[in-house]
PDB file of all heavy atoms in Angstrom:
ATOM      1  N   MET A   1    -114.182 162.451 122.277  1.00 76.00           N
ATOM      2  CA  MET A   1    -113.539 163.755 122.262  1.00 76.00           C
ATOM      3  C   MET A   1    -112.021 163.563 122.230  1.00 76.00           C
ATOM      4  O   MET A   1    -111.482 162.753 122.990  1.00 76.00           O
ATOM      5  CB  MET A   1    -113.936 164.567 123.503  1.00 76.00           C
ATOM      6  CG  MET A   1    -113.432 166.010 123.504  1.00 76.00           C
ATOM      7  SD  MET A   1    -113.677 166.832 125.111  1.00 76.00           S
ATOM      8  CE  MET A   1    -115.411 166.596 125.403  1.00 76.00           C
ATOM      9  N   THR A   2    -111.352 164.278 121.382  1.00 85.00           N
ATOM     10  CA  THR A   2    -109.895 164.226 121.301  1.00 85.00           C
ATOM     11  C   THR A   2    -109.330 165.601 121.639  1.00 85.00           C
ATOM     12  O   THR A   2    -109.782 166.619 121.102  1.00 85.00           O
ATOM     13  CB  THR A   2    -109.427 163.813 119.898  1.00 85.00           C
ATOM     14  OG1 THR A   2    -109.964 162.524 119.594  1.00 85.00           O
ATOM     15  CG2 THR A   2    -107.915 163.753 119.831  1.00 85.00           C
ATOM     16  N   LYS A   3    -108.373 165.617 122.553  1.00 91.00           N
ATOM     17  CA  LYS A   3    -107.712 166.853 122.955  1.00 91.00           C
ATOM     18  C   LYS A   3    -106.205 166.644 122.902  1.00 91.00           C
ATOM     19  O   LYS A   3    -105.713 165.521 122.768  1.00 91.00           O
ATOM     20  CB  LYS A   3    -108.137 167.251 124.374  1.00 91.00           C
ATOM     21  CG  LYS A   3    -109.602 167.651 124.501  1.00 91.00           C
ATOM     22  CD  LYS A   3    -109.870 169.007 123.888  1.00 91.00           C
ATOM     23  CE  LYS A   3    -111.304 169.453 124.102  1.00 91.00           C
ATOM     24  NZ  LYS A   3    -111.571 170.786 123.538  1.00 91.00           N
ATOM     25  N   ASP A   4    -105.466 167.737 123.037  1.00 96.00           N
ATOM     26  CA  ASP A   4    -104.009 167.621 123.117  1.00 96.00           C
ATOM     27  C   ASP A   4    -103.559 167.198 124.504  1.00 96.00           C
ATOM     28  O   ASP A   4    -102.563 166.493 124.653  1.00 96.00           O
ATOM     29  CB  ASP A   4    -103.349 168.954 122.757  1.00 96.00           C
ATOM     30  CG  ASP A   4    -103.620 169.383 121.325  1.00 96.00           C
ATOM     31  OD1 ASP A   4    -103.607 168.501 120.444  1.00 96.00           O
ATOM     32  OD2 ASP A   4    -103.850 170.576 121.097  1.00 96.00           O
ATOM     33  N   ALA A   5    -104.304 167.669 125.534  1.00 98.00           N
ATOM     34  CA  ALA A   5    -103.868 167.400 126.906  1.00 98.00           C
ATOM     35  C   ALA A   5    -105.065 167.310 127.835  1.00 98.00           C
ATOM     36  O   ALA A   5    -106.056 168.037 127.686  1.00 98.00           O
ATOM     37  CB  ALA A   5    -102.915 168.492 127.393  1.00 98.00           C
ATOM     38  N   ILE A   6    -104.956 166.402 128.788  1.00 98.00           N
ATOM     39  CA  ILE A   6    -105.904 166.282 129.898  1.00 98.00           C
ATOM     40  C   ILE A   6    -105.167 166.690 131.165  1.00 98.00           C
ATOM     41  O   ILE A   6    -104.042 166.234 131.413  1.00 98.00           O
ATOM     42  CB  ILE A   6    -106.401 164.829 130.055  1.00 98.00           C
ATOM     43  CG1 ILE A   6    -107.141 164.367 128.797  1.00 98.00           C
ATOM     44  CG2 ILE A   6    -107.281 164.687 131.283  1.00 98.00           C
ATOM     45  CD1 ILE A   6    -107.403 162.864 128.778  1.00 98.00           C
ATOM     46  N   VAL A   7    -105.769 167.546 131.973  1.00 98.00           N
ATOM     47  CA  VAL A   7    -105.221 167.883 133.287  1.00 98.00           C
ATOM     48  C   VAL A   7    -106.172 167.315 134.329  1.00 98.00           C
ATOM     49  O   VAL A   7    -107.352 167.687 134.377  1.00 98.00           O
ATOM     50  CB  VAL A   7    -105.052 169.395 133.477  1.00 98.00           C
ATOM     51  CG1 VAL A   7    -104.549 169.698 134.895  1.00 98.00           C
ATOM     52  CG2 VAL A   7    -104.067 169.957 132.454  1.00 98.00           C
ATOM     53  N   LEU A   8    -105.674 166.404 135.147  1.00 98.00           N
ATOM     54  CA  LEU A   8    -106.469 165.762 136.198  1.00 98.00           C
ATOM     55  C   LEU A   8    -106.277 166.516 137.501  1.00 98.00           C
ATOM     56  O   LEU A   8    -105.182 166.574 138.043  1.00 98.00           O
ATOM     57  CB  LEU A   8    -106.031 164.310 136.376  1.00 98.00           C
ATOM     58  CG  LEU A   8    -106.215 163.383 135.176  1.00 98.00           C
ATOM     59  CD1 LEU A   8    -105.637 162.007 135.482  1.00 98.00           C
ATOM     60  CD2 LEU A   8    -107.675 163.286 134.806  1.00 98.00           C
ATOM     61  N   GLY A   9    -107.352 167.096 138.002  1.00 97.00           N
ATOM     62  CA  GLY A   9    -107.303 167.859 139.238  1.00 97.00           C
ATOM     63  C   GLY A   9    -107.466 169.336 138.979  1.00 97.00           C
ATOM     64  O   GLY A   9    -106.623 169.943 138.328  1.00 97.00           O
ATOM     65  N   ALA A  10    -108.554 169.922 139.484  1.00 96.00           N
ATOM     66  CA  ALA A  10    -108.859 171.321 139.202  1.00 96.00           C
ATOM     67  C   ALA A  10    -108.690 172.201 140.420  1.00 96.00           C
ATOM     68  O   ALA A  10    -109.448 173.142 140.636  1.00 96.00           O
ATOM     69  CB  ALA A  10    -110.276 171.446 138.640  1.00 96.00           C
ATOM     70  N   GLY A  11    -107.667 171.893 141.234  1.00 96.00           N
ATOM     71  CA  GLY A  11    -107.245 172.829 142.258  1.00 96.00           C
ATOM     72  C   GLY A  11    -106.383 173.908 141.625  1.00 96.00           C
ATOM     73  O   GLY A  11    -106.253 174.008 140.402  1.00 96.00           O
ATOM     74  N   ILE A  12    -105.740 174.706 142.448  1.00 97.00           N
ATOM     75  CA  ILE A  12    -104.968 175.839 141.929  1.00 97.00           C
ATOM     76  C   ILE A  12    -103.817 175.375 141.040  1.00 97.00           C
ATOM     77  O   ILE A  12    -103.501 176.024 140.029  1.00 97.00           O
ATOM     78  CB  ILE A  12    -104.454 176.723 143.093  1.00 97.00           C
ATOM     79  CG1 ILE A  12    -103.915 178.051 142.580  1.00 97.00           C
ATOM     80  CG2 ILE A  12    -103.418 175.988 143.930  1.00 97.00           C
ATOM     81  CD1 ILE A  12    -104.961 178.992 142.069  1.00 97.00           C
ATOM     82  N   VAL A  13    -103.197 174.241 141.345  1.00 98.00           N
ATOM     83  CA  VAL A  13    -102.093 173.737 140.517  1.00 98.00           C
ATOM     84  C   VAL A  13    -102.620 173.266 139.168  1.00 98.00           C
ATOM     85  O   VAL A  13    -102.069 173.603 138.112  1.00 98.00           O
ATOM     86  CB  VAL A  13    -101.334 172.602 141.241  1.00 98.00           C
ATOM     87  CG1 VAL A  13    -100.268 171.997 140.321  1.00 98.00           C
ATOM     88  CG2 VAL A  13    -100.684 173.127 142.521  1.00 98.00           C
ATOM     89  N   GLY A  14    -103.694 172.481 139.172  1.00 98.00           N
ATOM     90  CA  GLY A  14    -104.238 171.972 137.927  1.00 98.00           C
ATOM     91  C   GLY A  14    -104.787 173.066 137.031  1.00 98.00           C
ATOM     92  O   GLY A  14    -104.540 173.074 135.818  1.00 98.00           O
ATOM     93  N   VAL A  15    -105.545 174.007 137.614  1.00 98.00           N
ATOM     94  CA  VAL A  15    -106.098 175.104 136.816  1.00 98.00           C
ATOM     95  C   VAL A  15    -104.977 175.934 136.202  1.00 98.00           C
ATOM     96  O   VAL A  15    -105.032 176.308 135.020  1.00 98.00           O
ATOM     97  CB  VAL A  15    -107.026 175.981 137.677  1.00 98.00           C
ATOM     98  CG1 VAL A  15    -107.460 177.225 136.907  1.00 98.00           C
ATOM     99  CG2 VAL A  15    -108.255 175.190 138.121  1.00 98.00           C
ATOM    100  N   SER A  16    -103.953 176.217 136.971  1.00 98.00           N
ATOM    101  CA  SER A  16    -102.834 177.016 136.462  1.00 98.00           C
ATOM    102  C   SER A  16    -102.109 176.287 135.338  1.00 98.00           C
ATOM    103  O   SER A  16    -101.731 176.895 134.324  1.00 98.00           O
ATOM    104  CB  SER A  16    -101.852 177.329 137.596  1.00 98.00           C
ATOM    105  OG  SER A  16    -102.474 178.082 138.621  1.00 98.00           O
ATOM    106  N   THR A  17    -101.906 174.993 135.494  1.00 98.00           N
ATOM    107  CA  THR A  17    -101.254 174.206 134.441  1.00 98.00           C
ATOM    108  C   THR A  17    -102.097 174.204 133.171  1.00 98.00           C
ATOM    109  O   THR A  17    -101.570 174.362 132.061  1.00 98.00           O
ATOM    110  CB  THR A  17    -101.010 172.770 134.926  1.00 98.00           C
ATOM    111  OG1 THR A  17    -100.236 172.792 136.135  1.00 98.00           O
ATOM    112  CG2 THR A  17    -100.281 171.953 133.874  1.00 98.00           C
ATOM    113  N   ALA A  18    -103.398 174.025 133.329  1.00 98.00           N
ATOM    114  CA  ALA A  18    -104.293 174.026 132.170  1.00 98.00           C
ATOM    115  C   ALA A  18    -104.228 175.357 131.426  1.00 98.00           C
ATOM    116  O   ALA A  18    -104.213 175.398 130.188  1.00 98.00           O
ATOM    117  CB  ALA A  18    -105.719 173.725 132.625  1.00 98.00           C
ATOM    118  N   ILE A  19    -104.196 176.459 132.164  1.00 98.00           N
ATOM    119  CA  ILE A  19    -104.101 177.791 131.540  1.00 98.00           C
ATOM    120  C   ILE A  19    -102.833 177.901 130.711  1.00 98.00           C
ATOM    121  O   ILE A  19    -102.861 178.335 129.546  1.00 98.00           O
ATOM    122  CB  ILE A  19    -104.135 178.888 132.616  1.00 98.00           C
ATOM    123  CG1 ILE A  19    -105.545 179.035 133.200  1.00 98.00           C
ATOM    124  CG2 ILE A  19    -103.663 180.229 132.044  1.00 98.00           C
ATOM    125  CD1 ILE A  19    -105.611 179.947 134.405  1.00 98.00           C
ATOM    126  N   HIS A  20    -101.706 177.530 131.294  1.00 98.00           N
ATOM    127  CA  HIS A  20    -100.433 177.708 130.601  1.00 98.00           C
ATOM    128  C   HIS A  20    -100.316 176.798 129.378  1.00 98.00           C
ATOM    129  O   HIS A  20     -99.712 177.187 128.365  1.00 98.00           O
ATOM    130  CB  HIS A  20     -99.275 177.502 131.568  1.00 98.00           C
ATOM    131  CG  HIS A  20     -99.002 178.712 132.410  1.00 98.00           C
ATOM    132  ND1 HIS A  20     -98.357 179.822 131.909  1.00 98.00           N
ATOM    133  CD2 HIS A  20     -99.300 178.998 133.706  1.00 98.00           C
ATOM    134  CE1 HIS A  20     -98.260 180.738 132.858  1.00 98.00           C
ATOM    135  NE2 HIS A  20     -98.823 180.262 133.960  1.00 98.00           N
ATOM    136  N   LEU A  21    -100.890 175.619 129.434  1.00 98.00           N
ATOM    137  CA  LEU A  21    -100.907 174.760 128.248  1.00 98.00           C
ATOM    138  C   LEU A  21    -101.816 175.342 127.170  1.00 98.00           C
ATOM    139  O   LEU A  21    -101.461 175.373 125.986  1.00 98.00           O
ATOM    140  CB  LEU A  21    -101.375 173.356 128.624  1.00 98.00           C
ATOM    141  CG  LEU A  21    -100.366 172.468 129.354  1.00 98.00           C
ATOM    142  CD1 LEU A  21    -101.049 171.230 129.898  1.00 98.00           C
ATOM    143  CD2 LEU A  21     -99.216 172.076 128.434  1.00 98.00           C
ATOM    144  N   GLN A  22    -102.980 175.803 127.558  1.00 98.00           N
ATOM    145  CA  GLN A  22    -103.909 176.388 126.597  1.00 98.00           C
ATOM    146  C   GLN A  22    -103.314 177.630 125.935  1.00 98.00           C
ATOM    147  O   GLN A  22    -103.460 177.845 124.728  1.00 98.00           O
ATOM    148  CB  GLN A  22    -105.225 176.734 127.302  1.00 98.00           C
ATOM    149  CG  GLN A  22    -106.364 177.119 126.371  1.00 98.00           C
ATOM    150  CD  GLN A  22    -106.977 175.929 125.641  1.00 98.00           C
ATOM    151  OE1 GLN A  22    -106.893 174.805 126.114  1.00 98.00           O
ATOM    152  NE2 GLN A  22    -107.594 176.189 124.494  1.00 98.00           N
ATOM    153  N   ARG A  23    -102.618 178.437 126.719  1.00 98.00           N
ATOM    154  CA  ARG A  23    -101.960 179.625 126.173  1.00 98.00           C
ATOM    155  C   ARG A  23    -100.928 179.269 125.103  1.00 98.00           C
ATOM    156  O   ARG A  23    -100.646 180.069 124.211  1.00 98.00           O
ATOM    157  CB  ARG A  23    -101.257 180.399 127.297  1.00 98.00           C
ATOM    158  CG  ARG A  23    -102.144 181.291 128.135  1.00 98.00           C
ATOM    159  CD  ARG A  23    -101.292 181.940 129.210  1.00 98.00           C
ATOM    160  NE  ARG A  23    -101.962 183.045 129.869  1.00 98.00           N
ATOM    161  CZ  ARG A  23    -101.386 183.807 130.808  1.00 98.00           C
ATOM    162  NH1 ARG A  23    -100.133 183.555 131.175  1.00 98.00           N
ATOM    163  NH2 ARG A  23    -102.052 184.800 131.360  1.00 98.00           N
ATOM    164  N   ARG A  24    -100.339 178.084 125.232  1.00 98.00           N
ATOM    165  CA  ARG A  24     -99.295 177.672 124.288  1.00 98.00           C
ATOM    166  C   ARG A  24     -99.855 176.901 123.098  1.00 98.00           C
ATOM    167  O   ARG A  24     -99.122 176.201 122.403  1.00 98.00           O
ATOM    168  CB  ARG A  24     -98.232 176.855 125.039  1.00 98.00           C
ATOM    169  CG  ARG A  24     -97.341 177.733 125.903  1.00 98.00           C
ATOM    170  CD  ARG A  24     -96.572 176.970 126.966  1.00 98.00           C
ATOM    171  NE  ARG A  24     -95.628 177.848 127.642  1.00 98.00           N
ATOM    172  CZ  ARG A  24     -95.978 178.757 128.572  1.00 98.00           C
ATOM    173  NH1 ARG A  24     -97.251 178.886 128.931  1.00 98.00           N
ATOM    174  NH2 ARG A  24     -95.064 179.537 129.124  1.00 98.00           N
ATOM    175  N   GLY A  25    -101.133 177.037 122.893  1.00 97.00           N
ATOM    176  CA  GLY A  25    -101.730 176.467 121.697  1.00 97.00           C
ATOM    177  C   GLY A  25    -102.252 175.061 121.832  1.00 97.00           C
ATOM    178  O   GLY A  25    -102.731 174.489 120.849  1.00 97.00           O
ATOM    179  N   ARG A  26    -102.154 174.472 123.028  1.00 97.00           N
ATOM    180  CA  ARG A  26    -102.706 173.137 123.226  1.00 97.00           C
ATOM    181  C   ARG A  26    -104.203 173.223 123.520  1.00 97.00           C
ATOM    182  O   ARG A  26    -104.658 174.157 124.180  1.00 97.00           O
ATOM    183  CB  ARG A  26    -101.994 172.424 124.390  1.00 97.00           C
ATOM    184  CG  ARG A  26    -100.494 172.208 124.181  1.00 97.00           C
ATOM    185  CD  ARG A  26    -100.242 171.299 122.982  1.00 97.00           C
ATOM    186  NE  ARG A  26     -98.826 171.155 122.709  1.00 97.00           N
ATOM    187  CZ  ARG A  26     -98.068 170.149 123.165  1.00 97.00           C
ATOM    188  NH1 ARG A  26     -98.585 169.224 123.951  1.00 97.00           N
ATOM    189  NH2 ARG A  26     -96.793 170.084 122.844  1.00 97.00           N
ATOM    190  N   GLN A  27    -104.949 172.253 123.035  1.00 98.00           N
ATOM    191  CA  GLN A  27    -106.362 172.137 123.374  1.00 98.00           C
ATOM    192  C   GLN A  27    -106.471 171.261 124.616  1.00 98.00           C
ATOM    193  O   GLN A  27    -106.119 170.080 124.591  1.00 98.00           O
ATOM    194  CB  GLN A  27    -107.146 171.546 122.206  1.00 98.00           C
ATOM    195  CG  GLN A  27    -107.206 172.466 120.989  1.00 98.00           C
ATOM    196  CD  GLN A  27    -107.876 173.793 121.339  1.00 98.00           C
ATOM    197  OE1 GLN A  27    -109.003 173.834 121.841  1.00 98.00           O
ATOM    198  NE2 GLN A  27    -107.170 174.886 121.077  1.00 98.00           N
ATOM    199  N   VAL A  28    -106.958 171.849 125.695  1.00 98.00           N
ATOM    200  CA  VAL A  28    -106.857 171.229 127.017  1.00 98.00           C
ATOM    201  C   VAL A  28    -108.247 171.018 127.607  1.00 98.00           C
ATOM    202  O   VAL A  28    -109.123 171.888 127.518  1.00 98.00           O
ATOM    203  CB  VAL A  28    -106.031 172.118 127.970  1.00 98.00           C
ATOM    204  CG1 VAL A  28    -105.862 171.436 129.330  1.00 98.00           C
ATOM    205  CG2 VAL A  28    -104.665 172.438 127.364  1.00 98.00           C
TER     206      VAL A  28
END
Side-chain angles (χ1 to χ4, degrees):
M1 186 190 306
T2 301
K3 293 287 184 179
D4 297 320
I6 298 168
V7 177
L8 298 176
I12 192 71
V13 175
V15 173
S16 299
T17 304
I19 287 171
H20 279 284
L21 284 169
Q22 190 75 24
R23 280 178 166 183
R24 285 162 173 76
R26 298 297 176 95
Q27 293 300 305
V28 183

